[in-house]
Amino acid sequence: MNLMARPPAQTPIRPPRLAEDAQRDWKRLAVPSGPVGVFEPGHASRLPVAARRWLLHAIAPGTPLLTTAFLEMHGRIRISGRWWPFDAGQVLKPSQGFVWAASARLAGLPVTGFDEYRDGQGEMRWRILGGVPLISASGPDVTRSARGRLAAEFVLAPAAALSPSVEWEHLDEMRAIAHVAVGSDVHPVTLTVHPSGQLVSVTTPRWGDPGGGRFDEHLFGVRVQRERTFGGFTIPSLAQAGWGYGTPDWQDGEFFRFSVDRAAYS
């Protein structure tokens, strides 16, 4: 029986300070869900064995199937060969869009800005001292890369695994591929799942320019080290991300280490 439930009240995660247009995009993505079904183990019955094991681990029975995630995180990001600390907030609506806004300090100077994908377009905008432009990028390459990121991040909102925008393919007992539709593209996202159901890694071919070279498709991956449960969803809470996961390129390609401090869903 597919029961219907209204989303439970959760302590909201407020958007970080954003430019006016990015603030608008955050609010559009943050529109609450209406009544949704609640998770029952039978929902995972037709998934490949690895995906089924992950989903049964990731969603507690009776959890409303909410697919918009609000995240608070901190970590370190590698820029020009050095690791810098950051704090960030994100709204994520799988297959539709995200806004990731962060603050950091580079060489002692405060840097703020955001990466986002909305209305089929990707954009990056970062400033030093709140006003001096550091990075401002958009266009086809940025958009294509942002789509790959959005596809891979559906694991942070596990109910999205049951969406019509995700089609599943069996690989073996440990791995399954989620073919995630974002805009006009379909991204093959490979999940490696421990026998316990915990995610081991998430990998996908993603458009990018590792090392500042020519844009092309490169292997992108996330290594999951720890997980936490928020509102009935168990998600990666400590992880590393970058280019060339599982290859010799990982040593130089890893550029992002994050810890999720809080997550809420609507």
Side-chain angles (χ1 to χ4, degrees), residues 6-7 13 31 38 55 92 98 151 207:
R6 289 195 174 276
I13 291 178
V31 173
V38 299
L55 204 63
L92 167 69
F98 70 87
W207 196 250

Coordinates of all heavy atoms in Angstrom, one line a residue, residues 6-7 13 31 38 55 92 98 151 207:
R6 N 2.0 14.1 4.5 CA 2.6 15.5 4.3 C 4.0 15.5 4.9 O 4.2 14.9 5.9 CB 1.7 16.5 5.0 CG 0.4 16.7 4.2 CD -0.4 17.9 4.6 NE -1.5 18.2 3.8 CZ -1.5 18.7 2.6 NH1 -0.3 19.2 2.1 NH2 -2.6 18.9 1.9
P7 N 4.9 16.3 4.3 CA 6.2 16.3 4.8 C 6.2 16.8 6.3 O 5.5 17.7 6.6 CB 6.9 17.4 3.9 CG 6.1 17.4 2.7 CD 4.7 17.1 3.1
I13 N 17.0 24.9 6.9 CA 18.4 25.4 6.6 C 18.3 26.7 5.8 O 17.8 26.6 4.7 CB 19.2 24.3 5.9 CG1 19.4 23.2 6.9 CG2 20.5 24.9 5.4 CD1 20.2 22.0 6.4
V31 N 11.0 25.2 -3.1 CA 9.5 25.1 -2.9 C 9.2 23.8 -2.2 O 9.6 22.7 -2.7 CB 8.8 25.2 -4.2 CG1 7.3 25.0 -4.1 CG2 9.1 26.6 -4.8
V38 N 5.1 7.5 1.3 CA 6.1 7.1 2.2 C 6.8 5.8 1.8 O 6.3 5.0 1.0 CB 5.5 6.9 3.7 CG1 4.9 8.2 4.1 CG2 4.5 5.7 3.7
L55 N 19.3 1.3 -1.2 CA 18.1 2.0 -0.9 C 17.5 1.6 0.4 O 17.0 2.4 1.2 CB 17.2 2.0 -2.1 CG 16.2 3.1 -2.2 CD1 16.9 4.4 -2.4 CD2 15.1 2.9 -3.3
L92 N 19.4 21.3 -3.2 CA 19.6 20.3 -4.2 C 18.3 19.7 -4.6 O 17.6 19.1 -3.7 CB 20.6 19.2 -3.8 CG 20.7 17.9 -4.6 CD1 21.3 18.2 -5.9 CD2 21.5 16.9 -3.8
F98 N 20.6 22.9 -8.6 CA 21.2 23.0 -7.3 C 21.8 24.4 -7.2 O 22.1 25.1 -8.2 CB 22.3 22.0 -7.1 CG 23.5 22.2 -7.9 CD1 24.6 23.0 -7.5 CD2 23.7 21.5 -9.1 CE1 25.7 23.2 -8.3 CE2 24.8 21.7 -9.9 CZ 25.8 22.5 -9.5
A151 N 23.8 15.1 -11.6 CA 23.4 13.7 -11.7 C 24.0 12.8 -10.6 O 23.3 12.0 -10.0 CB 23.9 13.2 -13.1
W207 N 32.0 16.0 -17.7 CA 32.7 17.0 -18.5 C 33.5 17.9 -17.6 O 33.0 18.4 -16.6 CB 31.6 17.8 -19.3 CG 32.1 18.6 -20.5 CD1 32.2 19.9 -20.6 CD2 32.6 18.1 -21.7 NE1 32.7 20.3 -21.8 CE2 33.0 19.2 -22.5 CE3 32.8 16.8 -22.2 CZ2 33.5 19.1 -23.8 CZ3 33.3 16.7 -23.5 CH2 33.6 17.8 -24.3

